[in-house]
Amino acid sequence: MPELPEVEIARRTLERWLGGSEVTGAQAERTRVFRAGGRADFDRLRGRLARADRHGKVLLVSLDSGQGFLSHLGMTGKWVRRPAGETVPYSRARLTLSDGTVVHYRDPRLFGRIEPHPADTLRALPELRALGPDPLLTPLSGRQLRDAFGATRVPIKVALLDQRRLAGLGNIHAAEALWRARLHPGRPARSLELPEWNRLATAIRRGLAFALAAEDGEEIAYVEEPGTENPFKIYAREGEPCPRCGTPIRLLRQAGRRTDLCPRCQPVRRASR
Ligand SMILES: [Zn+2]
């Protein structure tokens, strides 16, 4: 499932592919990727890239024609580039480029979404305005995290997934950050103290930087896909030794989702001082 690093990789590759040439044609399939409407507007996209932005897990593409679109990768979506004429399974939308290639939006499970909008309205969309700060775009501090989460008694792992408070983390990076910060995922958010928020802020930054550095291909790969290596420290490593202390990693179920944790590094109670 895409989280901030995968969407940032998608942004960088779209910037590279569209930046070098011109969109000379576009085609949208009749699928629920366009459930918000705008399929005809997508087909009319033309021009050169003005900018490609990202906030949390949302991509925003603006063309110099004044047209633009929002792209959310859902669970299995990705943008891929192929020579013209090549068939791409699950291609739901296509941008034909002047360099003889076609950029496809590929999405087997159709949870992703594309919404064409005028470029100058993209950042003001209600969906964008509802998002919390993006930890890659704004320097993330412990105080900022405490302000965003510190009033809720929701378990910190569950709270970290709330895109209105902080945009970009999903199940994987929330679990990774809590392991790096040595915090139990079940701690009520408001029980954390400032030094713990500081550790968590550092952990989130490091985890995202690590994931971005580990992505080497120009097309994103999801860890759930067969044949993809698991680059994470503890995510989906139940029973394997904790990379820090060797204790077997345990699996916790929270709000119907998995959280891997090290029972030794991430004790339920805060260590007494
Ligand atoms: Zn450990």
Side-chain angles (χ1 to χ4, degrees), residues 66-119:
Q67 299 165 300
F69 62 92
L70 168 157
S71 161
H72 198 293
L73 302 177
M75 289 180 72
T76 52
K78 40 177 96 167
W79 289 91
V80 303
R81 184 168 69 158
R82 297 286 185 272
E86 194 172 303
T87 311
V88 174
Y90 310 114
S91 172
R92 312 303 189 185
R94 294 171 278 287
L95 297 170
T96 304
L97 304 188
S98 54
D99 65 0
T101 64
V102 179
V103 172
H104 297 256
Y105 175 68
R106 185 180 183 278
D107 193 346
R109 296 185 62 187
L110 295 165
F111 286 103
R113 186 159 42 88
I114 296 175
E115 279 183 33
H117 291 284

Side-chain angles (χ1 to χ4, degrees), residues 179 242-247 262-266:
W179 175 80
C242 165
R244 193 159 45 211
C245 75
T247 305
C262 170
R264 185 161 172 208
C265 294
Q266 297 169 267

Side-chain angles (χ1 to χ4, degrees), residues 53-182:
D53 295 311
R54 181 195 54 76
H55 191 112
K57 305 179 196 174
V58 181
L59 272 169
L60 304 173
V61 176
S62 306
L63 302 177
D64 64 0
S65 56
Q67 299 165 300
F69 62 92
L70 168 157
S71 161
H72 198 293
L73 302 177
M75 289 180 72
T76 52
K78 40 177 96 167
W79 289 91
V80 303
R81 184 168 69 158
R82 297 286 185 272
E86 194 172 303
T87 311
V88 174
Y90 310 114
S91 172
R92 312 303 189 185
R94 294 171 278 287
L95 297 170
T96 304
L97 304 188
S98 54
D99 65 0
T101 64
V102 179
V103 172
H104 297 256
Y105 175 68
R106 185 180 183 278
D107 193 346
R109 296 185 62 187
L110 295 165
F111 286 103
R113 186 159 42 88
I114 296 175
E115 279 183 33
H117 291 284
D120 59 0
T121 66
L122 284 171
R123 299 204 69 86
L125 291 172
E127 176 171 352
L128 267 288
R129 296 167 68 105
L131 293 174
D134 178 295
L136 216 59
L137 302 177
T138 14
L140 189 65
S141 70
R143 275 176 205 283
Q144 192 186 6
L145 281 182
R146 188 182 62 182
D147 291 347
F149 295 99
T152 177
R153 64 179 80 204
V154 170
I156 182 64
K157 158 72 189 326
V158 178
L160 282 173
L161 304 179
D162 184 350
Q163 303 298 300
R164 294 165 301 177
R165 296 176 188 270
L166 183 70
L169 295 194
N171 208 39
I172 296 176
H173 285 283
E176 293 282 297
L178 290 167
W179 175 80
R180 283 174 190 269
R182 302 176 195 232

Side-chain angles (χ1 to χ4, degrees), residues 140-142 145 180 197-207:
L140 189 65
S141 70
L145 281 182
R180 283 174 190 269
W197 289 117
N198 286 337
R199 291 209 310 267
L200 186 56
T202 306
I204 290 171
R205 285 199 309 266
R206 289 204 179 139

